[in-house]
Each structure stands twice: as C-alpha cells, then as structure tokens.
C-alpha cells in the first residue's frame, strides 16, 4: 500500500490531479504456527516514508490502515520486525522472546555427534526436496511462529546458489532433518564461518547428526553461528565452544549474542481480542478468567472466560477476574512466548491471586519464539 500526497504547489494538469507517492508499506497474508495450530497472520514489512513527509503521521496512517485491512480479512495478529521498538509500541505492538545466536567452534561438537553424521548425513539431492518441505511442516507445528511456506517460496529458497543443504536420513531412507547454511569468508585464506540459516529436524537424534556434520568441518571452519530459542540447552553439550576466541575482563566466555525478536499486535476490539484468543492452539486444556484492558490504569475493561478443550479455546464474556492484562501485553502472552507470571513480575500485567496466575501460566504457555525468518 502507498500513501499519496497532492503536491501543493504544482499546477493541476487537466481535470485529474497528480499525486506524489510519499510512503509505502507491505501487508503479507501468512500462516504461522502457534500452540500446534496454524494461525492467519498479517506480516508487515518495508514501512518507509519519504524524507520530506516524515513526522506528519504518514507512517502511522499507513500502519493503521494495514491493521484495519488485516483485521477485516480475518487475521488474528500482525507481526513485524521493528527498526525501533518504540515506534511500534505506540501502535500496540508487544515484544516476543529473544533468540540466542550461538557462535561456537566446530571442534566443540561432541565426537559422538560427528559419528552419527558419518553414515546418516549427506547432500541434498533434487529428489529429496519435497521430503525436506515436509520435514519443515512437521517441525513447524511444534514451534511458535514458524511461517507456512508455499511451493513457490520453497522453489525460491532452493534456487539460491550460495546456500548449501545437508540432510539426515534414517536407515529406512526418508530425510528426518536438514540444515541450510552459507559459508562466509572475506577473502581467500581468511577466517571462515558457517552461518546456519535453519536447522530443522523431526527428532533429537537427527539434530545431533546434523550438528555433528557441521562439527566435521572443524579443519576448515573457525566458527559456526546458529540461532536457537531462548530455552534451548545446546551449548551445554559443547566443550569449549569459544576455544578460538578470547574473553574480556568481565566476560571470560562469550558464547554469542542475544537477538531481539519480532513484535506482535492484536486488534483492540472485543472481536479482535476474542479472535486472537481463539485462533491459536493450546498445549493443555483448562479454564481461565481474565480482564483485558487498553492500559493497566484504564477504566474500560473486557472480562473474558476462556475454556480450552482438546487444544481449542472458546472465550465468552464473564464478570471479572484476578488477572488484568493490557492488550499489548496480551499480544506478547498469546503470540510472543511471554508467560503471564513474567508479565506480572515486569509490571506489565496485574494479578494478586497466585493460584489464578499459575493457572494462566499453564494454560497460555507456548514455547519461546523459534528463530523465524525475517520478512
Ligand atoms: C520510520 C518512519 C516510517 C516513520 O514514518 P513517519 O511518517 O515519519 O512517522 P509518523 O509521522 O507517523 O510518526 C511520527 C512519530 O513517530 C516517532 N518516531 C519517528 N521516528 C522514530 C524512531 N526512529 N524511533 C522511535 N520513534 C520514532 C516520532 O517521534 C513521532 O512521535 P510523536 O507523534 O509522538 O511525535 C520513517 O521515518 C521512515 O521512513 N524512516 C526510514 C525507513 C525506516 O527506517 N523504515 C522502517 C523499516 S521497518
């Protein structure tokens, strides 16, 4: 979508006015996995306003318009990668869990994992491609935030020359995991890194085998960079992951970087809030009452009773509850991996009944956001 402005000093030519384009923003229709269920989501990207039109509300206007369109077509949320969180926080976007970008020496990968790779891991062949897409789909269901990919999207991914794929097979034959990566080297003979784009597996053994295969590159590669979610324990299996780096006085062992995640927003209308609650999946069944407010100190409230059966939620009006959550924090809880108890500890939500809060944690929890490809 674009924002247009009548150039104020230009003469009108003929009957029709001419317009300058002063801004643009994209809204993609996406499906993404949350709590074992695919959710319709609007992906917002490439928001930009011409230098001469900044600060006039053009960007805000474009985004508001995209939010209306996204809600009208049935999306449960919008997601974006912010250039600055503050700009989008004003518009109702809440943060999601950060990922950890580990940087580790290939020699730190356990020898037993390398042994798994020797028979099981090989290069991707053209006939394996379809099976690779199925591995992704199956793995995506268990994640928070992985995006459904069309056949075209896969085709574009496989066409990229610099991206290498390794796959792991079981003795029965079918792939159970793959890793896509690039090799980065600034000039011949300089330090070489493996930058993992995605490492996807149906089980833990396949994951160990793929990491083992990357570990097998230890003579050529100085370091492997791989993003894992906030709770992944991978580095606990690595011995001296920073062996080829030095520390500082404060940080002796630097294992990588914490990377901010995307932001998520749900529509503020009662219908939008109910849709956001009902659209995602839930990992356990149960009941919960909560009160959604525009801001913590707001008088206007929406009291809801949520009942989850077989992983699906129904939200109905209720009379009140101990847990009080602003809409922005609710977006982070429903779609950003923020636990209600963490929201309360941070002052983002309120609850004076510890048992209700424990129930909310159990019912609303999803895994932290998995490393998601930026759009
Ligand atoms: C970011 C951008 C889209 C904002 O568009 P805009 O039309 O100037 O913004 P608006 O007029 O709607 O909003 C202005 C408000 O945003 C705030 N704002 C502007 N830039 C900001 C920034 N970098 N960080 C935080 N807030 C910012 C202003 O303080 C102002 O707040 P106020 O209304 O309380 O005074 C525009 O500056 C731009 O195109 N920047 C370069 C491209 C870019 O970075 N795009 C983001 C890629 S996702």
């Amino acid at each position: 979508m674009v924002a247009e402005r009548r150039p104020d000093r230009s003469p009108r030519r003929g009957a029709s006015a001419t317009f300058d384009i002063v801004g643009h923003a994209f809204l993609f229709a996406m499906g993404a996995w949350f709590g074992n269920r695919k959710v319709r989501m609007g992906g917002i990207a490439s928001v930009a306003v011409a230098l001469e039109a900044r600060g006039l509300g053009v960007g805000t206007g474009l985004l508001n318009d995209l939010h209306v369109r996204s809600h009208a077509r049935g999306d449960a949320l919008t997601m974006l990668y912010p250039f600055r969180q503050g700009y989008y926080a004003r518009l109702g976007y809440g943060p999601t869990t950060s990922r950890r970008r580990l940087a580790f020496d290939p020699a730190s990968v356990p020898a037993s994992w390398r042994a798994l790779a020797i028979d099981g891991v090989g290069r991707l062949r053209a006939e394996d491609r379809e099976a690779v897409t199925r591995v992704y789909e199956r793995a995506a269901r268990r994640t928070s935030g992985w995006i459904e990919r069309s056949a075209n999207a896969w085709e574009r991914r496989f066409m990229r020359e610099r991206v290498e794929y390794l796959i792991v097979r079981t003795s029965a034959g079918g792939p159970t995991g793959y890793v896509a990566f690039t090799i980065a080297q600034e000039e011949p003979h300089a330090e070489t890194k493996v930058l993992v784009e995605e490492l996807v597996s149906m089980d833990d053994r396949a994951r160990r085998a793929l990491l083992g295969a990357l570990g097998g590159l230890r003579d050529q590669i100085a370091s492997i960079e791989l993003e894992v979610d906030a709770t992944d324990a991978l580095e606990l299996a690595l011995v001296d992951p920073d062996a080829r780096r030095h520390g500082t006085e404060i940080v002796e062992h630097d294992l990588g970087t914490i990377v901010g995640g995307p932001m998520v927003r749900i529509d503020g209308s009662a219908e939008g809030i109910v849709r956001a609650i009902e659209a995602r999946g839930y990992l356990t069944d149960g009941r919960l009452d909560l009160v959604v407010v525009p801001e913590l100190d707001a008088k206007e409230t929406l009291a809801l009773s949520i009942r989850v059966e077989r992983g699906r939620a129904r939200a109905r009006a209720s009379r009140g509850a101990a847990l009080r959550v602003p809409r922005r924090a609710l977006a982070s809880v429903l779609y950003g991996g923020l636990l209600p108890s963490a929201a309360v500890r941070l002052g983002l939500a309120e609850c004076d009944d510890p048992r209700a809060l424990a129930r909310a944690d159990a019912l609303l929890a999803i895994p932290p956001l998995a490393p998601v490809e930026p759009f």
Side-chain angles (χ1 to χ4, degrees), residues 14-343:
S16 66
T18 55
F19 291 89
D20 285 344
I21 292 177
V22 291
H24 62 66
F26 292 104
L27 173 69
F28 300 110
M30 292 176 163
W33 293 92
F34 293 95
N36 249 323
R37 193 154 174 244
K38 196 166 65 197
V39 177
R40 289 173 63 175
M41 175 176 98
I44 292 184
S46 295
V47 183
V49 172
L51 273 176
E52 67 278 14
R54 290 190 188 168
L56 303 173
V58 174
T60 305
L62 276 171
L63 285 158
N64 284 338
D65 203 60
L66 295 187
H67 295 150
V68 170
R69 283 166 193 257
S70 170
H71 177 69
R73 74 180 180 195
D75 293 344
L77 74 152
T78 53
M79 180 187 271
L80 53 76
Y81 283 82
F83 70 102
R84 284 275 174 274
Q85 292 184 324
Y87 186 74
Y88 296 103
R90 307 174 302 139
L91 301 172
Y93 282 86
T96 61
T97 45
S98 314
R99 290 106 53 189
R100 293 176 310 126
R101 189 171 181 88
L102 298 177
F104 57 94
D105 187 335
S108 69
V109 174
S112 59
W113 297 14
R114 291 206 305 275
L116 283 178
I118 290 170
D119 294 330
V121 177
R123 287 197 173 271
L124 175 84
R125 296 176 308 217
E127 62 266 33
D128 298 319
R129 287 183 179 180
E130 206 182 311
V132 158
T133 69
R134 285 198 300 274
V135 169
Y136 176 88
E137 271 162 34
R138 280 193 47 186
R141 286 167 190 271
R142 284 179 281 137
T143 69
S144 300
W146 274 15
I147 292 158
E148 181 187 31
R149 290 183 187 156
S150 64
N152 274 344
W154 275 110
E155 195 56 38
R156 282 198 301 277
R157 297 181 82 76
F158 287 134
M159 293 297 282
R160 296 167 308 164
E161 271 176 14
R162 290 187 54 241
V163 182
E164 316 228 11
Y165 281 83
L166 294 176
I167 61 169
V168 59
R169 293 174 200 283
T170 55
S171 45
T176 51
Y178 67 91
V179 56
F181 61 96
T182 53
I183 294 179
Q185 187 184 38
E186 283 193 359
E187 56 182 305
H189 314 302
E191 184 185 270
T192 306
K193 286 181 184 175
V194 161
L195 306 178
V196 177
E197 183 183 76
E198 59 188 26
L199 191 152
V200 182
S201 63
M202 271 148 53
D203 57 53
D204 295 327
R205 189 185 157 90
R207 186 176 197 236
R208 292 198 299 272
L210 289 166
L211 285 160
L214 296 178
L217 302 172
R218 64 195 188 284
D219 291 336
Q220 296 85 42
I221 302 291
S223 137
I224 298 172
E225 291 187 17
L226 166 71
E227 274 186 28
V228 297
D229 72 39
T231 56
D232 193 308
L234 173 61
E235 73 271 24
L236 303 191
L238 306 176
V239 181
D240 289 327
D242 61 332
R244 291 191 231 188
R245 291 198 298 273
H246 294 280
T248 64
E249 189 177 351
I250 296 174
V251 180
E252 187 175 357
H253 299 291
D254 176 348
L255 306 187
T257 312
I258 296 181
V259 182
M263 295 181 90
V264 286
R265 178 187 188 276
I266 61 177
D267 187 83
S269 66
E271 190 203 338
I273 290 165
V274 168
R275 185 192 292 169
I277 291 170
E278 293 184 348
R280 56 160 268 194
Y282 291 79
L283 305 179
T284 55
D285 289 354
R287 277 203 50 181
L288 174 72
D289 290 335
L290 89 171
V291 175
V292 186
V293 289
E295 305 290 336
L296 263 185
D297 54 6
K299 297 223 166 39
E300 187 193 328
T301 62
L302 175 69
L304 291 172
S305 171
I306 304 174
R307 177 191 289 273
V308 178
E309 277 172 14
R310 292 195 299 278
R312 299 285 310 267
R314 286 280 162 264
R316 299 273 176 273
S318 77
R319 265 173 303 167
L323 176 61
R324 208 174 143 86
V325 193
R327 190 242 298 180
R328 192 168 102 80
L330 185 64
S332 295
V333 167
L334 290 174
Y335 291 102
L338 176 67
L339 272 181
S341 60

